[in-house]
């Protein structure tokens, strides 16, 4: 007992000396002391267990302090950087590689504690997915080199091993990947494929299969668009009178998106693509996801013309005013077949936000179903091209709901795989092996009662 207490005091003195925290372990003048301590307590009964526990406590405190700092500063990006640096301090030193499995496992348990915290309302899986997204968007704000991006992505994948709900990470990452592939022209295909390869190698194909399908979809969509342009050149009588690009996505690969049958104004004739697509295949059904669309329209305002970059839904609303000087809320609903919640967001962005392209009566900062709207001919801006944003939507709740819906299917699939392999098992054996297989993706939570 005395020996154990002395060990705690001594190792803590090593750890707490100076203000550099755990990194003091890897200063040259401390490595020999630590190695000798390790060898001594390797000869004592249960000595290594206590040695490992001291490490675990200290690393847990260090990582939890980073979490607290992030909550106070509301900066999740800095949190991931700090944890990555802490992880590097162990992984990159020969001493750690030589320590026994007890110590290595203790460090793993310590990282699992603070790598599964919810910070500022965001689960750790979302925080890590957001950090990867930040790096992949042209190297983040730091404009990192390709080599540094690759190194950082490698570290992110290693850190993911400590996150319990990897399927939650996958769904958040898939959402962000979709936006990069569809809207970010600076997306680097090599980096996208590289991190997917790393994730697949580390956690298996089920984690990345949908995301790999998304990347392939975008490549095929570009080829498809070229064929569509050739079809229009060969059939000038069906040309819609506007330039538009269609990206065909495979439903099973991409995140679920809200869909409804929007009635487009006559100017937005996109059905010609359906005729083209039917020349290629008659066994697939096209469903238009207008919520992902972007339109460039020319606004002829009295001060000067301005190009407006808007969503397809916003464009549909604005084009109604080519034929009508004034429209009531109910008339817009009837013409476009939009849900009330969606129309409120659209009209708010066009009449109550920064860019008041429509005048609303009565004038106020909220949308009512008794309002009427009129095109604002006096609208102007110092820019000749502006992007009119929509109010942001918090997708966190929907992502969690989608993951919860998918988990029963993952459980069923695991049970089928196990029974096809084992043929006969007891109920308890089946439960244990199913939990073991699924533990690489998420942790089963047993309900009380």
């Amino acid at each position: 007992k005395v020996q154990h207490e002395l060990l705690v005091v001594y190792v803590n003195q090593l750890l707490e000396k100076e203000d550099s925290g755990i990194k003091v372990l890897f200063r040259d003048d401390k490595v020999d002391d630590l190695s000798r301590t390790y060898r001594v307590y390797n000869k004592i009964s249960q000595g290594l267990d206590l040695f490992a526990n001291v490490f675990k406590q200290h690393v847990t405190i260090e990582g939890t302090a980073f979490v607290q700092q992030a909550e106070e500063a509301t900066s999740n990006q800095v949190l991931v950087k700090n944890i990555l640096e802490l992880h590097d301090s162990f992984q990159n030193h020969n001493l750690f590689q030589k320590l026994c499995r007890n110590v290595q496992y203790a460090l793993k348990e310590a990282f699992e504690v603070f790598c599964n915290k919810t910070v500022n309302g965001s689960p750790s899986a979302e925080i890590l997915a957001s950090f990867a997204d930040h790096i992949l968007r042209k190297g983040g704000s730091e404009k990192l080199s390709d080599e540094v991006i690759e190194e950082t992505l490698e570290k992110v994948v290693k850190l993911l091993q400590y996150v319990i709900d990897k399927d939650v990470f996958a769904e958040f990452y898939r959402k962000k990947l979709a936006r990069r592939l569809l809207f970010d022209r600076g997306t680097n295909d090599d980096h996208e494929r590289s991190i997917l390869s790393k994730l697949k190698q580390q956690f298996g194909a089920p984690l990345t299969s949908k995301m790999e399908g998304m990347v392939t979809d975008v490549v095929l969509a570009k080829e498809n668009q070229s064929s569509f342009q050739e079809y229009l050149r060969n059939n000038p009588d069906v040309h819609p009178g506007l330039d538009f690009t269609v990206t065909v996505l495979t439903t099973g690969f991409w995140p679920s998106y809200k869909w409804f049958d929007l009635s487009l104004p006559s100017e937005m004739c996109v059905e010609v693509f359906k005729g083209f697509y039917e020349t290629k295949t008659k066994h697939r059904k096209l469903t238009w996801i207008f919520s992902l669309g972007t339109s460039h329209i020319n606004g002829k305002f009295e001060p000067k013309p301005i190009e407006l970059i808007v969503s397809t839904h916003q464009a549909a609303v604005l084009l109604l005013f080519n034929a009508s000087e004034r429209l009531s809320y109910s008339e817009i609903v009837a013409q476009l077949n939009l849900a009330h919640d969606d129309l409120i967001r659209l009209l708010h962005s066009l009449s109550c936000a920064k860019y008041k392209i429509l005048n609303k009566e009565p004038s106020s900062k909220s949308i009512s179903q008794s309002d009427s709207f009129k095109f604002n001919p006096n609208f102007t801006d110092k820019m000749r091209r502006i992007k009119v944003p929509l109010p942001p939507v918090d997708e966190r709740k929907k992502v969690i709901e989608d993951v919860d819906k998918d988990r029963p299917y993952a459980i069923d699939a695991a049970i089928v795989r196990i029974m096809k392999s084992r043929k006969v098992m007891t109920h308890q054996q089946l439960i244990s092996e199913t939990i073991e297989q699924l533990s690489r993706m998420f942790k089963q939570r047993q309900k009380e009662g």
Side-chain angles (χ1 to χ4, degrees), residues 386-440:
I386 60 173
K387 183 175 182 180
V388 184
L390 278 167
V393 177
D394 185 4
E395 296 182 334
R396 183 178 301 138
K397 182 179 178 181
K398 187 175 187 308
V399 169
I400 300 299
E401 289 175 351
D402 289 343
V403 170
D404 287 340
K405 289 178 182 177
D406 288 341
R407 283 185 176 179
Y409 299 113
I411 295 170
D412 291 346
I415 291 172
V416 170
R417 285 195 305 269
I418 293 168
M419 293 309 301
K420 286 178 70 174
S421 172
R422 301 288 294 274
K423 307 301 181 186
V424 177
M425 297 182 75
T426 66
H427 182 258
Q428 190 58 46
Q429 287 175 329
L430 178 59
I431 292 175
S432 299
E433 192 159 336
T434 301
I435 292 174
E436 176 64 26
Q437 281 199 15
L438 294 173
S439 63
R440 296 187 65 187

Side-chain angles (χ1 to χ4, degrees), residues 15 61 67 84 96 101 110 160 193 237 241 247 250 278 280 282 287 314 352 358-359 365 383 405 432:
L15 295 174
I61 292 172
V67 172
L84 287 176
F96 173 72
R101 290 186 178 181
L160 181 60
R193 293 185 182 278
D237 55 314
T247 304
T250 305
E278 287 176 348
K280 301 188 66 175
K282 296 186 182 297
T287 301
Q314 289 172 312
C352 301
L358 299 178
N359 288 327
K365 294 185 178 181
M383 307 296 291
K405 289 178 182 177
S432 299

Side-chain angles (χ1 to χ4, degrees), residues 125-252:
E126 179 188 5
I127 294 171
L128 197 58
S130 297
F131 181 82
D133 177 66
H134 174 75
I135 297 299
L136 286 163
R137 287 183 182 276
K138 303 178 183 178
S141 58
E142 300 87 354
K143 305 300 180 186
L144 304 175
S145 66
D146 289 345
E147 182 179 354
V148 174
I149 290 174
E150 282 297 308
E151 291 177 357
T152 306
L153 294 178
E154 180 78 34
K155 294 175 182 178
V156 168
V157 173
K158 288 181 179 178
L159 200 61
L160 181 60
Q161 66 182 307
Y162 305 114
V163 175
I164 293 174
D165 293 330
K166 296 176 182 62
D167 56 345
V168 176
F169 167 87
E171 191 62 21
F172 275 112
Y173 186 87
R174 196 159 64 108
K175 281 274 190 182
K176 297 176 185 302
L177 172 62
R179 297 201 66 83
R180 291 198 302 275
L181 293 177
L182 296 176
F183 305 120
D184 192 346
R185 294 181 180 179
T187 298
N188 187 308
D189 291 341
D190 291 336
H191 291 323
E192 297 291 356
R193 293 185 182 278
S194 175
I195 188 173
L196 291 182
S197 176
K198 291 177 173 64
L199 288 168
K200 184 177 182 178
Q201 183 177 7
Q202 185 75 24
F203 305 107
L207 186 78
T208 60
S209 58
K210 291 182 179 180
M211 291 180 271
E212 290 172 318
M214 292 166 62
V215 175
T216 301
D217 264 359
V218 172
V219 174
L220 295 176
K222 293 177 181 177
E223 300 174 1
N224 203 49
Q225 180 64 20
S226 298
S227 299
F228 177 53
Q229 295 298 328
E230 183 178 355
Y231 171 81
L232 293 179
R233 287 192 294 269
N234 295 335
N235 299 273
D237 55 314
V238 301
H239 199 286
L242 75 161
D243 296 327
F244 72 100
T245 300
V246 178
T247 304
V248 180
L249 311 176
T250 305
T251 303

